[in-house]
Amino acid sequence: MNNIWVIAVKEWRQFFVSVLAYVCGAALLLFGGYFFGVFMRAFNEFCLQASGFVGQPEFEYMTEHLNINDVVVRNFFGSVTVIFLIVVPAVTMRLFAEEKRAGTDELLFTSPISDWHLVGGKYLGGLLAVLTPLALTLSYTGFLAMHAAPDWGPVWTGYAGLAFLVAAYVAVGLAASAATRSQLVAYILAFSVLLFLHIIGWAAELSSYETGQVLRALSSMEHFENFSKGVVEIRDIVYFLSVAAFGLVLTHQLVAARRWKG
């Protein structure tokens, strides 16, 4: 366990001394902040429109459907999941491929550190590298508290859902990085798989009931949606943990194969 933590801290530190860390962090914070501002502005405009109907039947209808959690919080979380499609592969592409570029891969694979410790350490380092800028977006909740009165349950379950989503996405990116010696190929491979998981649920509406159920079961967005609504279901947690476990097992097999080849 100590080896895993030492490797994780090393990866986390190496990431945050690179320009890439600040590009990824800035992308998450700037685009996340931009979309948060857009949704807040839309909510304020809806409120102004509703105020023009005070005393009329339309006012009651509009206020019943005017929910800041639906207009701002859920849309904000949805935009962050899209940003993660771009940011997570950028963070994970270097985890193994960078060792080749730096010429340290041979030393790494001939070291006495076990494959599981190596995989676990790099996974934990990548996970912390993505969760660090995500934690900074919690500052938006302070702005939300000052200007509105949201239902806080979906806010916190939404962040929990993002953490589970990141855990799954980082494992996929780690496997892609272990599968190739090129960071560019690792990025494209991870992005393609994550995009597939993100949009596969869209085809469910055009499919038969049975096929649609399978597509929804594979979709990361179908499982994240409940978290953003304030609903925590075991099957959604199992989905994200299963994707993460599959990615880690695949990474372990790839690392073991490279160590065996020397």
Side-chain angles (χ1 to χ4, degrees), residues 86-236:
I86 300 168
V87 169
V88 172
V91 172
T92 58
M93 66 181 184
R94 50 170 293 281
L95 289 171
F96 278 104
E98 173 69 11
E99 300 287 354
K100 173 61 181 176
R101 189 198 67 79
T104 56
D105 55 334
E106 293 299 329
L107 180 64
L108 186 69
F109 291 122
T110 55
S111 69
I113 300 173
S114 74
D115 292 341
W116 276 118
H117 284 178
L118 181 60
V119 172
K122 285 189 172 288
Y123 172 72
L124 185 58
L127 187 62
L128 293 174
V130 180
L131 291 180
T132 300
L134 176 63
L136 296 178
T137 66
L138 286 168
S139 59
Y140 303 153
T141 63
F143 184 85
L144 203 60
M146 288 189 292
H147 295 84
D151 179 358
W152 288 104
V155 175
W156 303 130
T157 57
Y159 269 103
L162 287 178
F164 280 113
L165 184 84
V166 168
Y169 281 11
V170 168
V172 171
L174 185 67
S177 183
T180 177
R181 295 173 181 269
S182 166
Q183 292 192 45
L184 178 60
V185 173
Y187 182 93
I188 295 173
L189 184 59
F191 176 78
S192 301
V193 174
L194 297 183
L195 181 63
F196 173 78
L197 294 176
H198 189 90
I199 67 175
I200 190 174
W202 298 358
E205 300 297 329
L206 305 175
S207 307
S208 64
Y209 175 78
E210 292 77 10
T211 304
Q213 290 297 97
V214 173
L215 296 177
R216 288 190 179 92
L218 293 173
S219 169
S220 59
M221 287 301 94
E222 289 287 335
H223 292 281
F224 175 75
E225 191 70 15
N226 283 331
F227 284 101
S228 66
K229 294 177 182 175
V231 178
V232 179
E233 292 195 5
I234 296 298
R235 65 184 180 90
D236 298 324

